[in-house]
Amino acid sequence: QVQLVESGGGLVQTGGSLRLSCAASGIIFNPNAMHWYRQAPGKQRELVATAFRAGGTNYTDSVKGRFTISRDNAKNMVYLQMNNLKPEDTAVYYCNALIFNGLGSRDYWGQGTQVTVSS
């Protein structure tokens, strides 16, 4: 059974740092892309960063230069290092990937981890 489990959220002051982790279990093949999304209260879920199996990365403009996504394919982990955090980064952060589960490919989401940045 495929599962994504996030950890590492918390409360931090403006300018602080947090590192989020996402552990994928039940994986048959490493997914091509793994993503971090976030959803702030009253707002739509937005794509924050993507890490590709071959090594490339993408970021939404608002986090470029502050966030770094990385993955460890051997451990089926993806990370999000968040530096110079701002109050507008406050949101629930979700790990996501399109994963083959033996029957077909399906979109999987973690349960989310809360990040709160105080001003």
Side-chain angles (χ1 to χ4, degrees), residues 6-83:
E6 302 98 336
S7 61
L11 173 64
V12 66
Q13 290 185 332
T14 297
S17 297
L18 285 172
R19 187 189 192 215
L20 305 184
S21 299
C22 172
S25 59
I27 297 291
I28 298 175
F29 302 114
N30 274 317
N32 177 49
M34 298 191 74
H35 314 279
W36 283 100
Y37 282 78
R38 67 186 178 186
Q39 187 166 21
K43 294 189 177 181
Q44 288 189 329
R45 193 171 295 190
E46 68 165 338
L47 177 61
V48 175
T50 297
F52 296 95
R53 186 174 56 219
T57 56
N58 284 333
Y59 299 92
T60 191
D61 285 346
S62 62
V63 307
K64 285 181 180 177
R66 300 188 298 121
F67 290 11
T68 302
I69 189 171
S70 60
R71 56 189 288 181
D72 184 332
N73 293 326
K75 296 181 179 179
N76 293 323
M77 297 287 295
V78 62
Y79 307 96
L80 187 67
Q81 178 66 44
M82 305 185 295
N83 297 328

Side-chain angles (χ1 to χ4, degrees), residues 1-4 24-27 101 106 108:
Q1 182 180 359
V2 176
Q3 280 190 317
L4 299 177
S25 59
I27 297 291
N101 61 11
R106 211 202 84 179
Y108 285 88

